[in-house]
Amino acid sequence: MSTPVSLISTYPDLRGKVALVTGGSRGIGAATCMALARNGVKVAVNGRDEAAIDAVVASIQAQGGTAMAAPADCSSLSSVRAMQENVSAALGAPELLLPFAGGGSSKPMPFSEISEQDWRSSLDQNLTSTFFVLKCFLPALLARGGGAIVTMASAGGRMAAGAPAAYGAAKAGVIMLTRHLAAEIGASGIRVNCISPSAILTERTAARIPPERQEHMRAGFPLGRLGQTEDVAAAALFLLSSASAWITGATLDVAGGRVMS
Ligand SMILES: NC(=O)c1ccc[n+]([C@@H]2O[C@H](COP(=O)([O-])OP(=O)(O)OC[C@H]3O[C@@H](n4cnc5c(N)ncnc54)[C@H](OP(=O)(O)O)[C@@H]3O)[C@@H](O)[C@H]2O)c1
């Protein structure tokens, strides 16, 4: 069985930069905010739950880092626009963008049971929210002539199993949006990559999946365990740093070997 990540690698080139992490208020996003801050990045922490956002900001500040609360509903363009103005005024325009906000039901359901509301909600929460963040924050990266973006897909967008079709389609859309943008803006010095996790234990997933089921799931992963939020944070930092300077348009499966491509 592989060992979980215990230490986030240090990337000195990230120090002093400003990052926006949507969905930074909990789970994978919160772990990534903490890892960025430990690397000297100033972090704008987004989510909708202000108490959860404030808790992440306070943890970062308690460790000597710089962070601000950036509450917004990323599925609303006007809300994301207002966040962009607030963050840029307070910390400066972010050059590291991590549109991670998303989620929704990951329980597979027959196609015939997907309602119009399920469909629209999955697309809004995962794909449209990513588009809105890129739309509002990208102009500053283009003006600067540099930066890095890491988007958030899912194994559900890589394989036709284990997730509802609407969620899978939304996450596959994030992968293709990432590739289009990477191809279009590479010459501006901006890299755009995507992370595609599977079975990451967060507070939410740990509470939802009973321990016996977790044990059963482990057997489906060549590395013999489930993922940790820090596994995803470590991949995100690599893709943001100059250590991955020759990588753009890629989808990195942080999936314990469950997805291989
Ligand atoms: N955990 C996994 O196994 C797994 C696997 C594959 C992909 N992912 C993806 O990874 C990302 C994070 O997942 P997680 O498991 O860490 O989930 P989580 O613990 O439920 O956290 C979801 C985060 O997204 C935020 N969010 C959701 N909709 C939002 C919106 N419209 N506007 C602003 N923020 C919003 C939530 O903020 P509030 O709660 O403050 O509203 C929260 O911070 C998601 O995109 C998910 O699809 C997760």
Side-chain angles (χ1 to χ4, degrees):
M1 195 171 97
S2 75
T3 317
V5 168
S6 56
L7 189 71
I8 299 293
S9 309
T10 297
Y11 295 102
D13 62 299
L14 296 180
R15 178 162 291 281
K17 294 187 173 174
V18 177
L20 166 76
V21 183
T22 74
S25 61
R26 58 184 97 242
I28 291 170
T32 306
C33 287
M34 298 302 298
L36 285 165
R38 281 198 290 276
N39 279 264
V41 175
K42 300 173 204 162
V43 190
V45 182
N46 162 264
R48 292 163 301 185
D49 176 346
E50 299 203 13
I53 297 171
D54 289 345
V56 175
V57 170
S59 298
I60 290 173
Q61 289 170 342
Q63 292 180 21
T66 303
M68 70 171 281
D73 178 351
C74 294
S75 64
S76 153
L77 184 55
S78 58
S79 184
V80 176
R81 266 205 194 106
M83 170 170 70
Q84 187 268 329
E85 284 164 16
N86 292 339
V87 170
S88 302
L91 294 181
E95 60 198 284
L96 307 176
L97 301 182
L98 299 91
F100 281 8
S105 168
S106 54
K107 232 172 61 197
M109 64 166 79
F111 180 84
S112 58
E113 286 176 21
I114 300 173
S115 65
E116 179 184 353
Q117 195 192 340
D118 293 334
W119 177 262
R120 290 192 187 281
S121 163
S122 280
L123 271 285
D124 280 354
Q125 293 303 320
N126 293 285
L127 181 54
T128 307
S129 62
T130 303
F131 169 70
F132 285 165
V133 170
L134 296 174
K135 186 169 179 56
C136 292
F137 283 83
L138 186 61
L141 271 73
L142 291 169
R144 172 195 291 274
I149 300 171
V150 177
T151 59
M152 179 57 65
S154 164
R158 303 280 273 165
M159 305 168 16
Y167 178 77
K171 290 302 197 183
V174 170
I175 291 171
M176 195 46 79
L177 177 63
T178 304
R179 290 178 184 165
H180 271 274
L181 196 56
E184 192 178 316
I185 65 176
S188 305
I190 303 163
R191 296 179 304 106
V192 196
N193 290 293
C194 182
I195 290 178
S196 181
S198 179
I200 307 299
L201 279 178
T202 62
E203 272 182 34
R204 181 180 54 82
T205 54
R208 206 183 53 204
I209 309 170
E212 333 62 87
R213 171 92 187 114
Q214 289 183 27
E215 190 56 47
H216 177 75
M217 285 170 69
R218 280 184 195 107
F221 290 82
L223 290 181
R225 66 173 174 88
L226 301 183
Q228 296 189 341
T229 53
E230 288 76 11
D231 291 316
V232 184
L237 263 65
F238 166 69
L239 289 174
L240 293 171
S241 81
S242 57
S244 59
W246 191 232
I247 302 176
T248 197
T251 301
L252 181 55
D253 295 299
V254 183
R258 180 163 174 251
V259 182
M260 298 187 188
S261 60

